[in-house]
Amino acid sequence: MLLPAKAEVARQLRRYRAWERVMLASPHDRTVRATFEDSGYTLCVLMGKRCAREAAEAAERYLRTNLVTYLREQDGRPRGRRSARRAPPPERRSTAPSP
């Protein structure tokens, strides 16, 4: 999985949050709404999400954590310790003579 540079994610997240505030202040302004939606779309593409809110949350998690932790969270795998593989038990040989 390719991930964008953290600097670019931070820049797009700041842009999205700024336009979100402007859009909430002027919800009927079509130009503002269109620009806000464009910034959300860009964030979706960067983070591989379908919803702008999910993309913003994913961007915040990505910026907050290291790469390995982020990928584990995205994969949905538990963070528990890895279990060691055990070798199969040795075969038991009987010492009694066969009939």
Side-chain angles (χ1 to χ4, degrees):
M1 172 181 200
L2 293 176
L3 292 173
K6 284 193 172 192
E8 183 63 21
V9 172
R11 188 174 76 82
Q12 292 299 330
L13 182 60
R14 281 192 309 271
R15 181 174 180 260
Y16 173 79
R17 292 296 185 204
W19 281 108
E20 181 180 41
R21 286 189 297 273
V22 173
M23 199 274 303
L24 290 172
S26 306
H28 300 294
D29 187 334
R30 290 182 185 198
T31 304
V32 169
R33 181 173 288 276
T35 308
F36 169 65
E37 289 174 357
D38 286 346
S39 68
Y41 176 77
T42 302
L43 203 54
C44 286
V45 171
L46 277 175
M47 301 310 299
K49 300 294 181 182
R50 290 185 168 190
C51 170
R53 287 184 188 266
E54 288 177 8
E57 290 171 4
E60 288 169 350
R61 274 193 314 276
Y62 178 57
L63 294 171
R64 195 172 47 237
T65 61
N66 65 27
L67 181 61
V68 174
T69 304
Y70 177 77
L71 290 175
R72 279 188 189 145
E73 287 176 358
Q74 294 303 305
D75 203 17
R77 294 183 185 167
R79 293 187 190 181
R81 295 192 329 185
R82 298 175 99 179
S83 61
R85 279 193 149 180
R86 295 183 180 181
E91 291 184 27
R92 296 182 121 189
R93 294 185 182 183
S94 67
T95 55
S98 52

